[in-house]
């Protein structure tokens, strides 16, 4: 037991030291690229247990919800995923993955959240997965 407490105390001291040092700075981007943030949104295509969001319906969503919020551009990829649903049942679902290099101006968080909310409401979704990350970009 003493060994466990000693190891925990040592780990705590090490972690405390890391916290006081802070996070390392973001590495510099390669020549010709600039640091920016990117959002990846994963839009499931099932409605309930059944496929339901057609290509046409998704294209209309892009035209009405995403393009007005992100007029500088976006990329749409085909995808799919799976997870354990209720009753421990495996659920598989097709998805559209939207990549957006976020503009450095304006309230982009509100725009991203509004787009996610619009999709959840329109297509009766429980969630829209969002990943954001720092990245280096060149156009």
């Amino acid at each position: 037991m003493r060994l466990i407490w000693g190891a925990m105390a040592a780990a705590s001291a090490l972690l405390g030291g890391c916290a006081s040092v802070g996070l390392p700075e973001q590495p510099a981007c390669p020549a010709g690229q600039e640091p920016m943030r990117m959002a990846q949104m994963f839009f499931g295509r099932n409605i309930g247990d059944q496929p339901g969001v057609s290509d046409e319906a998704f294209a209309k969503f892009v035209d009405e919800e995403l393009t007005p919020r992100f007029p500088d551009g976006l990329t749409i990829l085909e995808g799919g995923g799976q997870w354990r649903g209720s009753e421990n049942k495996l659920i598989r679902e097709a998805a559209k993955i939207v990549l957006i290099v976020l503009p450095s101006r304006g309230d982009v968080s509100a725009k991203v959240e509004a787009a996610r909310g619009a999709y959840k409401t329109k297509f009766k979704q429980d969630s829209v997965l969002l990943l954001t990350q720092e990245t280096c970009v060149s156009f």
Side-chain angles (χ1 to χ4, degrees), residues 75-131:
T75 300
I76 301 170
L77 306 171
E78 296 291 331
Q82 66 183 39
W83 68 94
R84 287 249 177 244
S86 60
E87 301 173 14
N88 205 28
K89 179 182 172 189
L90 184 64
I91 299 170
R92 291 190 171 110
E93 180 175 15
K96 295 282 190 176
I97 304 163
V98 176
L99 310 176
I100 303 171
V101 175
L102 298 172
S104 55
R105 64 197 182 287
D107 187 4
V108 286
S109 296
K111 291 178 182 181
V112 169
E113 289 307 315
R116 293 174 70 206
Y119 191 82
K120 289 190 281 189
T121 299
K122 183 175 184 94
F123 298 111
K124 300 171 182 57
Q125 301 292 301
D126 292 331
S127 66
V128 172
L129 175 63
L130 170 65
L131 303 176

Side-chain angles (χ1 to χ4, degrees), residues 35-55:
M36 296 187 83
R37 285 185 344 153
M38 181 175 64
Q40 301 174 53
M41 290 185 274
F42 296 74
F43 296 95
R45 299 191 60 193
N46 286 1
I47 297 178
D49 293 353
Q50 303 297 315
V53 182
S54 67
D55 286 338

Side-chain angles (χ1 to χ4, degrees), residues 9-30:
S12 177
L14 287 173
L15 290 175
C18 290
S20 66
V21 173
L23 296 174
E25 289 188 31
Q26 182 82 3
C29 289

